[in-house]
């Protein structure tokens, strides 16, 4: 059996650095979880959610899956949203995709990869709904990037449509849903102008955000 001693060594070094920076770090961290944000992002190993927004452990509640998809039958994702909204009382839900997403590219190119093809069918649905605007772009790279953006906007709309979020807004809970995208080439996030707090019409916000893409 192969061991992963290097990872345990990395862990010890990381824990020692944290304690050196703040002696009570783990005592404070273990006492409560009180994040203001839920991050729904891609599983891609190049997109470390906490790091790219400069937050410490305990400050960002995270759910990740391939291509940052939100499906109304995915009990895993819905359970995360419910816990974040109803128990942790987060103020913001951020759906963040990224350019160069392998899942989105596979859906765009209609690649056959096996079981995951069923999951990526949701991204292909986005591709079909926006075929005219995507196909109008000059090259395959631009079209794939646009699909990454549109996929974020559509998934943000799906979050708004969940019963959990709808119920939170109905009872007057402060909660805002955002759509962002991350660029692997420069490490910067971009706001895709989807920002809904319950007072706005999510479907209209989706159309407006998609229309504003450049």
């Amino acid at each position: 059996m192969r061991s992963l001693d290097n990872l345990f060594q990395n862990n010890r070094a990381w824990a020692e650095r944290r304690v050196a920076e703040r002696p009570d770090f783990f005592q404070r961290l273990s006492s409560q979880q009180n994040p203001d944000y839920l991050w729904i992002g891609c599983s891609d190993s190049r997109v470390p959610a906490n790091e790219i927004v400069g937050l410490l452990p305990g400050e960002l509640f995270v759910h990740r899956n391939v291509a940052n998809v939100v499906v109304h039958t995915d009990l895993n994702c819905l359970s995360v949203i419910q816990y974040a909204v109803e128990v942790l009382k987060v103020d913001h839900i951020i759906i963040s995709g990224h350019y160069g997403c392998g899942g989105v590219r596979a859906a765009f190119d209609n690649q056959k990869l096996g079981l995951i093809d069923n999951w990526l069918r949701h991204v292909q649905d986005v591709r079909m709904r926006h075929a005219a605007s995507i196909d109008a772009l000059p090259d395959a790279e631009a079209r794939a990037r646009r699909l990454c953006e549109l996929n974020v906007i559509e998934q943000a709309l799906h979050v708004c449509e969940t019963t959990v979020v709808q119920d939170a807004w109905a009872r007057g809970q402060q909660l805002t849903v955002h759509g962002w995208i991350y660029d692997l080439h420069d490490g910067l996030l971009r706001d895709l102008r989807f920002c809904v707090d319950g007072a706005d019409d999510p479907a209209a916000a989706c159309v407006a955000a998609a229309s504003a893409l450049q």
Side-chain angles (χ1 to χ4, degrees):
M1 181 174 64
R2 296 180 62 186
S3 64
L4 297 173
D5 289 342
N6 60 315
L7 298 186
F8 284 101
Q9 292 170 3
N10 291 346
N11 169 250
R12 284 192 292 272
W14 173 79
E16 289 169 0
R17 288 195 302 271
R18 287 298 185 197
V19 171
E21 295 167 357
R22 183 184 293 178
D24 65 343
F25 179 82
F26 289 106
Q27 181 181 355
R28 289 165 57 92
L29 187 64
S30 62
S31 65
Q32 65 176 350
Q33 178 177 216
N34 190 32
D36 291 325
Y37 316 96
L38 166 60
W39 175 282
I40 300 177
C42 182
S43 299
D44 195 301
S45 60
R46 300 168 294 176
V47 189
N50 282 73
E51 291 186 38
I52 65 177
V53 290
L55 294 179
L56 294 172
E59 295 180 334
L60 188 71
F61 198 55
V62 177
H63 174 78
R64 298 171 70 171
N65 62 56
V66 175
N68 44 273
V69 171
V70 177
V71 185
H72 298 301
T73 54
D74 180 3
L75 296 183
N76 185 357
C77 183
L78 294 180
S79 296
V80 170
I81 294 172
Q82 181 179 23
Y83 189 80
V85 171
E86 297 184 3
V87 179
L88 298 177
K89 306 292 186 183
V90 298
D91 294 323
H92 303 274
I93 300 177
I94 301 161
I95 298 80
S96 180
H98 65 97
Y99 297 119
C101 178
V104 171
R105 190 65 195 231
F108 177 79
D109 291 336
N110 198 28
Q111 298 177 27
K112 301 303 179 187
L113 301 175
L115 180 63
I116 197 172
D117 298 345
N118 300 280
W119 181 254
L120 296 178
R121 180 72 233 182
H122 300 293
V123 182
Q124 289 180 318
D125 290 343
V126 177
R127 169 78 168 91
M128 288 190 298
R129 279 194 293 276
H130 297 274
S133 63
I134 292 173
D135 293 341
L137 295 172
D139 55 65
E141 182 61 29
R143 291 191 285 270
R145 285 172 64 88
R146 181 56 49 85
L147 181 56
C148 289
E149 296 167 344
L150 290 167
N151 184 53
V152 168
I153 293 169
E154 292 261 352
Q155 306 313 323
L157 173 62
H158 294 170
V159 171
C160 293
E161 294 173 335
T162 62
T163 57
V164 174
V165 171
Q166 289 288 315
D167 289 347
W169 284 334
R171 62 177 174 264
Q173 183 172 339
Q174 178 178 315
L175 181 64
T176 306
V177 179
H178 309 263
W180 296 355
I181 196 160
Y182 176 71
D183 197 330
L184 295 169
H185 292 95
D186 59 16
L188 297 179
L189 286 161
R190 176 186 171 195
D191 188 345
L192 292 177
R193 302 183 186 179
F194 184 102
C195 183
V196 176
D197 63 5
D200 303 313
D201 177 1
C206 179
V207 172
S211 299
L213 294 174
Q214 299 178 351

